[in-house]
Amino acid sequence: MSGEEETSVVRITVLAANSLVKREVFSLPDPFAVVTVDGDQTYTTNAIKRTLSPTWNQHFDITIKRTSTLTIQIFDQRRFRKRDQGFLGLVKIAGVEALEYCRGGHGLITRDLAQSSSGSPVYGKLLFSFSFPPAGAQRPDRTDQAPLSLASLQVSDSSSSGLRSYRSTPALRAQSIQPGAEMSGVLQNRSLSSRPQTANSSISPVLPSRSSARETSNGPNFLSVYEDEHGSLPPGWERRIDPNGRAYYVDHNRRATTWSRPDPTPQSQMTAPPAPAAQQPRATNSSSAYVDVPLPAGWEERRTPDGRPYFVDHTNRTTTWNDPRRAATTTMSVQASTNANLGSLPSGWEMRLTSTGRIYFVDHNTRTTTWDDPRLPTNPDASAPQYKRDYRRKLIYFRSQPTMRPKEGKCEIKLRRSMILEDSYAYVMKMRPDELKKRLFIRFDGEDGLDYGGVSREWFFLLSHEVFDPSYGLFQYSAHDNYTLQINWLSGINPDHLSYFKFIGRIVGLTIFHRRFLDAYFVPSFYKMILGKKPVLSDLEGVDAELHRSMVWMLNNDITDLPEMNFSTTEDRFGEIREVDLKPGGSDIAVTEATKKDYVDAIVEYRTKTRVQEQFNAFMDGFKELIPLDLVTVFDERELEFLVGGVPEIDTDDWISYTDYRGYDKSDKVIEWFWQVVRSWPPERKSRLLQFVTGTSRVPVNGFKDLQGSDGPRRFTIDKSGDPSQLPRSHTCFNRIELPPYEDYESLEKKLLFAIEETEGFGVE
């Protein structure tokens, strides 16, 4: 028989997968893996419920030749009866490659999942390993393990036990030695595998004694637990294998572990360090949220008497509450997240992966997410300007405070688009502040859209255009332009103006609390008043540019020969000229060269602050009900402007850099036309497109990489969907635009422009 025809028995361990594709909007898959060798040997793992990063850690002893082809496919049990069988990706390995892995002693192998012939998009990676079966391990009887075809898989919607699982002897997983437990030389009530047993499994979970294990002739051979290639272990000793295939030894007599094989009379073992006991943090039920890959070499998971998991580093002889897999995921592309010098994440933080494999961070204290590593608060982006890095550090602190955490429940507001200001005023003013701190759920009358963030963003956008409209008399444009606003000092013409200013204070507070943006900007003095800062001469320019020039001239020139002035000013109130003292008895105090600086300061104070103090006090009454002043004062006036209104300028290059594609490729003609259209549009139309897709025309201060979706950070996405005769559609909760494959540039621009300018409303698909 030639070398190519010789067969070898190897052990393949299917460890885990991560960042699988999510094909359902409102549910997660139940992934399971199918291992096939040349089409005549098929083995399946258990299905793991509701996850994009399943961990199986199951192995199978397979017979291969150098010319064999091994295929590992991943399916979704929930969709297995559908046309595509819930296909989530596959990996193919040549037999000669598998044998080389076995002989070379390779550890963890990571491969990108590939598409099938159907062309359905897949994401993620598969983690597996190859080894030769240990000495003494029995090969499964091929007569008992007939090959299984995918068509014959029995799938149960209620349990994964319905899957026929053909696997060889499970590896004994390292278990914790419970303090205070009664130990002897036998293994007592210990599960042979951490994974659930399938219905057809013949493996007993309990080994009553060493002798009874030997007497089980029909079951797997467990002698390797108590002996190795050098012979039997001393009484009370047990041999185990860690997830990376390295053997270690457990001394049940002394409750100790060691990497070294014990002598007939063992003299020294490495005693496992005690579990941390000082001031235990909040207990968790399981560490499974972080099991994307097996524990690193030399690590072991144990549990305290109350069931809380902790982790033992046998290499350094230390223990920790932190799961080492948090920082040891397979996504090594983000160097800052895996740098050992950074230490563990702050309390309550967790690192996760998006469906495309990008790392983001979850703050369970505030129930928020961010792209930025909280261990690097001062340097979220090396290319970012200093003011952006400082702002990010402050923002993380601000949002981590307990008073900025959303309350349990839902704050539902139902509105009519034609009466958005009136309805918003009625709802917001009748609610208590603690009700407004619940999750916002906005519903427009006659529309079926579900608010996963996009509808509320549009609400803030539309309300901004209504309440800050100068025709209502509450605000007026600044002296510079027709989009920067200042309080209208004559708003008292509306007898209810103070109530409306309190309403506006609540709206601005809601914007900050719920991490939305208003489509409005105010003069710098307005932000300074919120922060309790004293206005300066430059702030007067936005309020009255002509008066500002006069004050600058006065400071730079000698006023001795000018007509006499005093510490008072005149103002026109609807045709009535009034004189207002800038200080007590100001009309009788002359302005001289020596006192002109005081006069200028008094003018600035009056024009920017004093004459709108009543309206501003009402605004702050509403604002303080949602935002504590001691927290917001960590920002300066420019940063507060970012916090309320985002960034007005849209950087198209940044937009393109942080865009994902579904069904399209970046080099496709339709995509090139799309960005060509965007670049050709003026800033106002770009903002309208952004508002059409995301629900807001504003960009976070860190740019498009910080766009938020319904479930955390979510990039701007272009999805290939629809017929060329249809208009583009958007999903504002997911920052996604469905762009049909138009045939030419003109059609794309025409239909895109019509969609963003002439359509409104939400629906449910």
Side-chain angles (χ1 to χ4, degrees):
M1 183 179 293
S2 64
E4 286 75 16
E5 296 175 343
E6 293 179 356
T7 61
S8 301
V9 177
V10 301
R11 173 167 293 181
I12 179 171
T13 302
V14 184
L15 295 166
N18 56 41
S19 306
L20 297 177
V21 64
K22 183 180 179 183
R23 303 200 188 280
E24 300 287 345
V25 176
F26 300 108
S27 63
L28 295 174
D30 296 345
F32 67 95
V34 178
V35 180
T36 307
V37 183
D38 295 331
D40 63 351
Q41 301 175 59
T42 302
Y43 309 92
T44 69
T45 68
N46 293 322
I48 307 299
K49 296 292 185 181
R50 301 180 186 87
T51 179
L52 296 177
S53 298
T55 300
W56 298 290
N57 198 19
Q58 294 179 242
H59 67 258
F60 314 100
D61 291 347
I62 58 178
T63 302
I64 64 172
K65 298 180 292 186
R66 294 177 60 85
T67 57
S68 296
T69 299
L70 285 74
T71 304
I72 308 174
Q73 301 178 82
I74 302 179
F75 297 93
D76 178 6
Q77 187 191 50
R78 299 163 63 92
R79 295 169 52 91
F80 193 73
R81 296 186 184 277
K82 296 188 177 182
R83 183 176 180 180
D84 64 351
Q85 294 185 308
F87 178 76
L88 299 176
L90 62 84
V91 170
K92 289 188 176 181
I93 308 101
V96 62
E97 189 177 5
L99 291 171
E100 289 176 357
Y101 282 133
C102 292
R103 298 188 184 102
H106 286 270
L108 188 65
I109 303 169
T110 303
R111 291 285 183 89
D112 290 327
L113 292 170
Q115 295 178 338
S116 65
S117 58
S118 66
S120 300
V122 299
Y123 309 125
K125 297 177 182 295
L126 180 67
L127 291 82
F128 57 96
S129 64
F130 286 103
S131 62
F132 288 115
Q138 288 185 340
R139 263 296 279 142
D141 190 347
R142 291 302 304 272
T143 61
D144 296 334
Q145 288 192 350
L148 176 68
S149 66
L150 287 177
S152 66
L153 281 173
Q154 301 298 318
V155 181
S156 170
D157 293 332
S158 59
S159 172
S160 63
S161 61
L163 285 171
R164 296 175 62 190
S165 179
Y166 294 172
R167 58 178 179 268
S168 57
T169 306
L172 286 170
R173 183 169 182 252
Q175 301 289 336
S176 60
I177 303 173
Q178 299 290 348
E182 293 296 329
M183 293 291 180
S184 66
V186 298
L187 184 65
Q188 298 182 353
N189 298 328
R190 190 175 302 280
S191 174
L192 291 179
S193 174
S194 62
R195 62 184 180 272
Q197 299 295 327
T198 53
N200 66 324
S201 175
S202 63
I203 301 173
S204 174
V206 179
L207 295 178
S209 68
R210 188 180 298 199
S211 60
S212 62
R214 289 190 173 97
E215 292 167 1
T216 309
S217 58
N218 296 328
N221 186 356
F222 294 109
L223 293 180
S224 60
V225 175
Y226 303 107
E227 62 186 23
D228 58 12
E229 61 273 16
H230 301 291
S232 298
L233 297 174
W237 282 83
E238 175 187 349
R239 179 178 180 270
R240 293 185 183 171
I241 305 295
D242 71 5
N244 291 294
R246 184 177 178 184
Y248 67 100
Y249 300 87
V250 180
D251 181 2
H252 293 292
N253 304 308
R254 302 178 60 182
R255 300 177 186 177
T257 59
T258 178
W259 296 113
S260 303
R261 187 186 189 280
D263 296 327
T265 305
Q267 298 180 2
S268 62
Q269 292 94 11
M270 181 180 69
T271 303
Q279 194 174 357
Q280 295 183 4
R282 182 177 58 193
T284 57
N285 293 330
S286 173
S287 63
S288 60
Y290 308 108
V291 185
D292 286 338
V293 294
L295 285 167
W299 284 84
E300 178 186 356
E301 178 181 346
R302 295 184 179 179
R303 292 183 180 268
T304 61
D306 60 359
R308 180 169 181 213
Y310 66 97
F311 300 89
V312 182
D313 181 359
H314 292 293
T315 304
N316 298 321
R317 302 188 181 186
T318 59
T319 58
T320 178
W321 296 115
N322 298 318
D323 192 326
R325 289 165 291 194
R326 287 178 177 174
T329 62
T330 59
T331 55
M332 299 302 177
S333 59
V334 182
Q335 182 178 1
S337 300
T338 55
N339 188 343
N341 295 328
L342 295 177
S344 60
L345 290 166
S347 176
W349 283 80
E350 174 190 349
M351 181 171 65
R352 290 184 181 176
L353 300 173
T354 65
S355 59
T356 57
R358 186 182 179 193
I359 286 180
Y360 68 99
F361 298 88
V362 182
D363 181 1
H364 293 289
N365 303 310
T366 60
R367 300 181 182 180
T368 58
T369 56
T370 178
W371 295 117
D372 299 323
D373 192 327
R375 296 168 292 183
L376 292 171
T378 60
N379 188 25
D381 188 346
S383 62
Q386 182 63 41
Y387 76 89
K388 287 189 177 183
R389 285 178 275 165
D390 291 341
Y391 172 76
R392 172 56 58 186
R393 183 184 70 249
K394 295 176 183 178
L395 190 62
I396 291 175
Y397 166 79
F398 176 76
R399 289 177 172 171
S400 66
Q401 301 307 301
T403 53
M404 297 304 297
R405 299 175 187 174
K407 304 289 185 182
E408 293 290 339
K410 182 170 64 175
C411 174
E412 186 169 357
I413 300 177
K414 188 173 183 179
L415 310 161
R416 295 167 292 178
R417 284 184 179 268
S418 60
M419 304 286 287
I420 190 169
L421 177 58
E422 294 81 357
D423 291 351
S424 299
Y425 176 84
Y427 270 96
V428 171
M429 293 304 291
K430 77 178 181 180
M431 290 185 176
R432 300 188 309 273
D434 58 328
E435 292 179 308
L436 294 172
K437 291 184 178 182
K438 297 177 181 179
R439 181 189 177 277
L440 280 180
F441 191 88
I442 308 299
R443 186 184 297 276
F444 286 107
D445 189 32
E447 300 178 19
D448 298 327
L450 299 177
D451 188 3
Y452 288 94
V455 184
S456 61
R457 285 197 292 267
E458 173 146 345
W459 175 57
F460 281 111
F461 175 83
L462 297 176
L463 186 59
S464 302
H465 286 241
E466 286 288 323
V467 73
F468 298 121
D469 188 338
S471 62
Y472 284 101
L474 300 175
F475 285 83
Q476 63 185 19
Y477 292 128
S478 73
H480 286 308
D481 47 54
N482 61 352
Y483 61 85
T484 306
L485 300 164
Q486 60 177 317
I487 295 176
N488 186 351
W489 65 285
L490 295 174
S491 63
I493 192 173
N494 181 346
D496 296 326
H497 72 127
L498 296 182
S499 177
Y500 274 98
F501 274 106
K502 183 177 181 179
F503 163 70
I504 293 170
R506 283 191 167 193
I507 291 298
V508 175
L510 279 172
T511 302
I512 297 174
F513 187 88
H514 292 288
R515 307 184 184 189
R516 303 291 188 257
F517 295 129
L518 290 176
D519 193 24
Y521 285 91
F522 305 96
V523 293
S525 59
F526 181 77
Y527 299 109
K528 283 189 175 182
M529 290 173 69
I530 294 176
L531 300 174
K533 293 184 176 182
K534 183 178 178 64
V536 296
L537 178 58
S538 60
D539 298 327
L540 182 62
E541 186 176 11
V543 176
D544 191 327
E546 184 177 350
L547 181 60
H548 172 262
R549 287 193 295 269
S550 299
M551 294 300 102
V552 171
W553 185 92
M554 178 181 289
L555 290 176
N556 295 333
N557 296 274
D558 192 334
I559 64 170
T560 303
D561 298 331
L562 291 180
E564 183 178 346
M565 295 185 296
N566 53 37
F567 277 82
S568 65
T569 185
T570 58
E571 56 188 21
D572 184 353
R573 289 179 177 265
F574 304 108
E576 179 184 357
I577 305 301
R578 292 185 179 181
E579 184 176 4
V580 180
D581 288 344
L582 299 176
K583 60 169 59 177
S587 57
D588 299 325
I589 304 174
V591 178
T592 65
E593 179 68 21
T595 61
K596 67 179 183 180
K597 178 66 168 63
D598 295 336
Y599 173 77
V600 171
D601 291 343
I603 285 288
V604 171
E605 180 79 11
Y606 177 76
R607 293 300 298 271
T608 60
K609 182 178 180 181
T610 305
R611 72 173 181 171
V612 295
Q613 191 67 55
E614 189 179 23
Q615 295 93 322
F616 181 75
N617 288 341
F619 169 87
M620 291 303 293
D621 287 342
F623 183 81
K624 290 186 294 186
E625 289 177 341
L626 290 107
I627 307 297
L629 287 185
D630 59 331
L631 291 183
V632 80
T633 51
V634 301
F635 302 102
D636 61 27
E637 60 273 13
R638 179 62 174 162
E639 292 165 342
L640 184 58
E641 182 180 19
F642 289 152
L643 191 65
V644 175
V647 177
E649 301 86 6
I650 295 179
D651 184 343
T652 306
D653 292 329
D654 182 61
W655 194 347
I656 296 173
S657 298
Y658 293 101
T659 294
D660 289 338
Y661 304 95
R662 293 175 53 178
Y664 284 118
D665 188 76
K666 191 175 182 179
S667 59
D668 289 345
K669 269 295 182 185
V670 175
I671 299 302
E672 292 179 355
W673 290 336
F674 178 85
W675 292 120
Q676 187 178 344
V677 168
V678 173
R679 289 185 184 278
S680 68
W681 280 355
E684 295 78 11
R685 193 169 290 170
K686 291 179 183 177
S687 298
R688 188 68 185 90
L689 171 62
L690 185 62
Q691 194 272 335
F692 173 74
V693 180
T694 68
T696 178
S697 63
R698 302 297 174 175
V699 182
V701 69
N702 265 7
F704 281 86
K705 71 175 184 178
D706 262 1
L707 279 183
Q708 296 287 313
S710 61
D711 54 354
R714 187 176 286 271
R715 291 188 179 188
F716 187 92
T717 303
I718 301 177
D719 187 11
K720 185 177 183 179
S721 178
D723 186 86
S725 63
Q726 298 174 336
L727 294 174
R729 297 187 301 175
S730 66
H731 298 267
T732 57
C733 297
F734 308 105
N735 300 333
R736 186 170 77 240
I737 181 172
E738 294 183 353
L739 189 68
Y742 296 114
E743 298 177 355
D744 54 66
Y745 175 90
E746 291 75 17
S747 298
L748 187 150
E749 183 177 26
K750 179 181 177 181
K751 292 186 180 295
L752 184 61
L753 184 60
F754 187 89
I756 67 175
E757 298 287 355
E758 305 295 337
T759 60
E760 68 174 22
F762 292 89
V764 175
E765 294 184 344

